[in-house]
Amino acid sequence: MRKSVTKYVSSKLTEFRNFFRVRKATSRGDFSNVIWLIGDGRSGTTWIASLLNADKSYREMFEPFHPKKVNGAKEFRENMFVDADSKNPALKRYMASVFNGSLTNSWIDKELLSDSYEGLLVKDVFANLHAKWSVLQFPFVKPILLVRNPLSVAASKYVTKRWNWPSSPEIFLNDKALMATHLKGLDEVILKVAQRNDYIEKQILNWCVIHKVISKQFTLDEIHIICYEQVLEDPQREIGEALVFSGKKQNAELTPNKLRESSIVSFKGSSVIENKDPLTIWKENITQEQVELASNLLKAFELDGWYEGFHSP
């Protein structure tokens, strides 16, 4: 009991001190350079953010769109789609507080911030379906999309179900604007996923919707794509290319220890903690029937060429 009270007081003190440091940094323009790393949950965004910011020169803003951890995000739906031509003053105000760096709380900034920064790295897995809209509102933001094998993502979500990952196909079916545009003609496919009610397949559906929408809305010169599996193969090259796109300098070497470092969201059962192959650990929690369901979904969404054999992109 005493430990929990001490931890709570320490967290609140850090939050209080960060508030003033953020206010000073914002007034100095420390956050004028902004990288926005997006991707599906459990795709490795936290790890990739740490590699992009190995020199710690940018402030890392952790999941400002988490609907249960950040008060300002609670008024927006999970997996909320916003068409590029839409007007949404409330969302614009909130995104302004994200991209100008003024937003902070104990979830977004888990540790005491430094006195100064060269930029801002925003990492989020809840804002994918309005990424294009947000970048149009704030064109100075450099978006980077992390892509990972959908079965790896789904399996990791399965063993972290307690984190309440979005798993309702009805969210998409009830979104008339989304169904009439990027998901046109997929009503029956999504309805059958809802009826089968298979958790893995529902997470594959989320993956498909996210990547279908982003690939339809962005051109390759507007967003940088980085693949988890290719970072494993050649981290120097992949992280280097992402940094060139974002305009961020990298003054720290990606050492073997840094590359193997577990993230704050690693858990018992993850490949890092268990020292297992991150490319194949998904097979421990996925049946052959679910592999076939995933294959059919990717084909229906015209994404079947992204991960042939569910190994490398």
Side-chain angles (χ1 to χ4, degrees), residues 15-211:
E15 188 173 33
F16 180 75
R17 294 173 69 183
N18 280 342
F19 173 80
F20 288 100
R21 293 194 175 191
V22 163
R23 190 164 67 175
K24 288 181 180 179
T26 303
S27 66
R28 289 193 305 264
D30 283 10
F31 307 132
S32 56
N33 302 316
V34 182
I35 300 172
W36 191 20
L37 178 63
I38 58 175
D40 199 357
R42 305 309 303 169
S43 60
T45 51
T46 304
W47 179 56
I48 296 299
S50 72
L51 300 184
L52 291 170
N53 196 34
D55 60 3
K56 301 295 183 183
S57 62
Y58 275 38
R59 171 189 167 206
E60 292 182 38
M61 184 181 282
F62 187 82
E63 296 180 353
F65 233 86
H66 196 298
K68 294 180 174 62
K69 300 292 186 179
V70 186
N71 286 332
K74 291 180 180 178
E75 62 178 293
F76 307 112
R77 290 184 290 106
E78 291 180 298
N79 277 333
M80 183 178 74
F81 170 72
V82 180
D83 190 70
D85 298 326
S86 299
K87 295 186 183 300
N88 194 320
L91 180 60
K92 187 172 183 178
R93 284 193 298 271
Y94 184 72
M95 296 309 293
S97 71
V98 172
F99 293 141
N100 67 23
S102 62
L103 189 67
T104 183
N105 73 357
S106 58
W107 177 259
I108 291 170
D109 295 300
K110 299 181 183 302
E111 298 177 350
L112 185 64
L113 296 174
S114 298
D115 291 321
S116 65
Y117 290 97
E118 297 176 7
L120 178 68
L121 197 167
V122 181
K123 172 265 187 209
D124 212 297
V125 298
F126 299 100
N128 296 289
L129 297 187
H130 59 77
K132 177 65 174 181
W133 179 90
S134 297
V135 171
L136 286 174
Q137 308 304 311
F138 303 94
F140 59 89
V141 172
K142 300 294 179 63
I144 297 176
L145 171 67
L146 175 63
V147 182
R148 187 178 185 182
N149 176 357
L151 285 177
S152 294
V153 168
S156 187
K157 286 184 177 181
Y158 175 77
V159 297
T160 56
K161 281 194 291 186
R162 63 189 182 279
W163 294 356
N164 298 313
W165 297 107
S167 59
S168 174
E170 288 79 9
I171 291 177
F172 306 126
L173 289 170
N174 294 334
D175 193 321
K176 294 181 180 180
L178 180 58
M179 296 305 303
T181 52
H182 306 297
L183 302 187
K184 190 174 183 178
L186 290 167
D187 311 58
E188 192 67 26
V189 172
I190 298 173
L191 182 61
K192 287 182 178 178
V193 173
Q195 291 172 344
R196 281 189 289 268
N197 197 31
D198 181 280
Y199 187 85
I200 293 295
E201 187 186 23
K202 288 190 292 184
Q203 292 308 326
I204 299 296
L205 174 65
N206 284 346
W207 189 98
C208 287
V209 171
I210 287 170
H211 294 87

